[in-house]
Amino acid sequence: MVFDEQAAGVDDDECFEVDRLQDYGLVRELLAKATAQPGQDAGQARVAQALSRVRLAGQLPMAGLGDNKQQALQALVHTMLQAWHAAQDRFGLAAQRVLIRLEVDGVLLQDWVDHLLQVKPSAQAQQPADLPVATHAWLELEPGRLLTNTKKPSARPEKLLAHWVRSLAIAASGRLAQGVVVGRDGVLEIAPMEQDQAQATLSMLLRVWLDGMQAPLPLPPKTALAWVAGRDAAGQYQGSPDSPQQIADVSEACLARVFPDFEALCADGRFAILAEQVYAPLLTWAKQHVSAYRHAGEPAPDTADDLGDA
């Protein structure tokens, strides 16, 4: 069900700036074109060609503003591609895809994990001694920001959801695979998990998903993460004057229809239980298995960040 109406575009509008959503889409498009075929130099050439077409299509501002934005996009994508190719160089040949199959309470999870790589012995020797040694690896490019806005970088928990589930699924299948996620502000290194732990957590998530297919769950991700981390969950859900740039979860029409405010979200007590059940394991996993570092030359910010947006 979709509540939002799609606004009709005006073809003769002139672009004076690129907003966050447009910027995200442009970076995603440029990365897709750059990695469509192997070869770092060829990828950079495809980025330059794609940016020229974007400029001619009127998707960037005119004159000097457009020049600055084009140069900024090209520099950003260049930095991300350097990190991407450096990650690829650490691993060996392509590995066979992995079958994921897990059945819980009549719910069958079945899929394939493609594009796995073999981990070279030299890379295995560099892995943490207190975690399982990975035999395979998976790589991913993320057009958005991955790191908290703090001097010591760490992963934004809300950006880890898809990577957490992927890590759980791979580990539950019996493969020890590490992940490398390249974002616009840095890189995440994700260590493999034990099979038993992954199967137990994935089974719990499937049961929660099944409950959510019967009735709406009071479980908005950012609000739940704020609750588990001891932050201002009410402010995250309803909006806070202290964080005017933060998008309140209740601004989503589907949530507002069922849970119009934080009091309604917490009314039957399920929110606190579900938040701890689902997102406490995510935060524990992030602390134990995820490390982060900024791109070379990326400056350390001066201010702290909550559960920031894209």
Side-chain angles (χ1 to χ4, degrees), residues 54 59 67 76 78 97 110 113 128 132 148 168 174-176 178 192 205 224 257 292 310:
V54 166
Q59 295 178 262
D67 292 338
L76 170 63
H78 175 73
R97 61 180 184 170
Q110 181 170 303
V113 177
T148 54
L168 288 170
R175 292 292 178 95
L176 294 172
Q178 69 181 94
L205 291 177
R257 172 67 179 82

Side-chain angles (χ1 to χ4, degrees), residues 142-159:
E142 168 57 53
R145 296 186 178 277
L146 299 173
L147 310 184
T148 54
N149 194 25
T150 53
K151 291 186 177 181
K152 182 179 180 181
S154 61
R156 294 186 178 196
E158 75 277 12
K159 296 295 185 180

Side-chain angles (χ1 to χ4, degrees), residues 30-150:
L30 294 172
L31 291 173
K33 292 183 181 299
T35 56
Q37 296 176 0
Q40 186 169 357
D41 292 339
Q44 297 290 354
R46 285 192 291 271
V47 169
Q49 293 170 0
L51 274 171
S52 297
R53 289 194 292 270
V54 166
R55 186 79 179 271
L56 290 173
Q59 295 178 262
L60 297 181
M62 299 288 288
L65 291 176
D67 292 338
N68 293 339
K69 187 59 183 179
Q70 183 173 349
Q71 293 170 6
L73 285 170
Q74 187 154 0
L76 170 63
V77 173
H78 175 73
T79 298
M80 295 178 68
L81 289 176
Q82 281 187 316
W84 171 257
H85 289 293
Q88 286 183 317
D89 292 341
R90 290 166 47 192
F91 305 111
L93 301 176
Q96 293 184 344
R97 61 180 184 170
V98 173
L99 174 64
I100 307 297
R101 182 182 175 88
L102 183 65
E103 186 170 359
V104 177
D105 295 344
V107 178
L108 176 63
L109 171 66
Q110 181 170 303
D111 202 353
W112 292 95
V113 177
D114 296 308
H115 310 302
L116 289 174
L117 300 173
Q118 299 175 9
V119 177
K120 297 177 182 178
S122 57
Q124 289 181 332
Q126 300 174 4
Q127 297 178 30
D130 56 338
L131 294 173
V133 177
T135 58
H136 295 77
W138 53 271
L139 310 181
E140 189 163 332
L141 272 169
E142 168 57 53
R145 296 186 178 277
L146 299 173
L147 310 184
T148 54
N149 194 25
T150 53

Side-chain angles (χ1 to χ4, degrees), residues 2 5 28 52 61 83 120 148-149 170-171 190 247 254 258 267 288:
V2 179
E5 295 182 1
R28 180 175 58 186
S52 297
K120 297 177 182 178
T148 54
N149 194 25
I170 295 174
I190 302 175
I247 301 175
C254 299
V258 184
Q288 296 175 350

